[in-house]
Amino acid sequence: MTAFARRARASAGRMHPELSLVSYTLLGHLEESGGCRATDLAAHYALDKSTVSRQVAALERTELIERRLAPEDHRVQVLHLTDAGRNILTQVTESRRTALRERLADWPTDDLERFAAYLVRYNGWTGVGAEDR
C-alpha cells in the first residue's frame, strides 16, 4: 500500500505540475458533491483543518475553486469548482486513465476481472472508521 501511495503522489505531479494528489482529490470531491464547505472536506478525508485550509487557499489563488454563499444560510461559504478547475480536473483525470490503461494493457482478462473485483471489495468496506477513508 505504501508503494501504491508513493506512486500515486509521484504520478499526480507528472499529470499536472500545479496539482498535488491532495488538491486533485479535493477537486474531485467538489465535483462529485456539487460543492461543500472546507470543514466538510476536512471531515470527509480525516484531514486537519489547517491542511485543508492551505490546500483551499492554493486552489483559490490559482482560480481553480471559488467560494459562494450558501443559499440557505448566507453565513456559510461553500467551495465550488471554477470552469478552470473543472477543465484541469478533466485533463488530469484523462491523463490518469490513459496511464492506467497503458499499465494494465497486457494484463489477461481474468486478472483484470479479479483486480476489479478486489478494488470493489476494498472500496466497499464498511467496518469501523470506514467513513473516514
Side-chain angles (χ1 to χ4, degrees):
M1 293 303 288
T2 301
F4 181 80
R6 282 187 191 133
R7 274 194 215 106
R9 281 192 298 274
S11 70
R14 288 191 303 272
M15 299 298 166
H16 195 283
E18 297 173 21
L19 204 56
S20 71
L21 181 60
V22 172
S23 295
Y24 173 78
T25 303
L26 297 181
L27 289 178
H29 186 78
L30 289 175
E31 181 182 53
E32 288 175 19
S33 67
C36 68
R37 299 172 306 159
T39 55
D40 296 332
L41 287 172
H44 181 77
Y45 289 106
L47 294 170
D48 186 78
K49 289 178 186 177
S50 64
T51 300
V52 171
S53 179
R54 283 191 301 276
Q55 292 293 326
V56 165
L59 291 169
E60 283 182 302
R61 275 193 306 276
T62 55
E63 299 181 353
L64 300 180
I65 64 171
E66 64 187 2
R67 294 176 191 263
R68 297 182 202 157
L69 295 177
E72 67 280 355
D73 185 348
H74 289 282
R75 297 170 296 172
V76 175
Q77 293 185 343
V78 178
L79 304 171
H80 291 275
L81 289 178
T82 62
D83 288 340
R86 202 169 278 103
N87 289 338
I88 283 183
L89 183 62
T90 299
Q91 290 170 12
V92 173
T93 299
E94 281 307 311
S95 294
R96 292 184 78 177
R97 286 181 180 159
T98 298
L100 186 59
R101 276 190 217 102
E102 289 171 0
R103 188 171 195 131
L104 301 176
D106 62 346
W107 283 34
T109 302
D110 288 349
D111 288 352
L112 289 170
E113 288 172 357
R114 271 192 302 278
F115 183 59
Y118 292 146
L119 287 173
V120 167
R121 181 177 169 190
Y122 179 82
N123 288 324
W125 183 65
T126 57
V128 175
E131 65 280 352
D132 296 333
R133 290 172 178 62

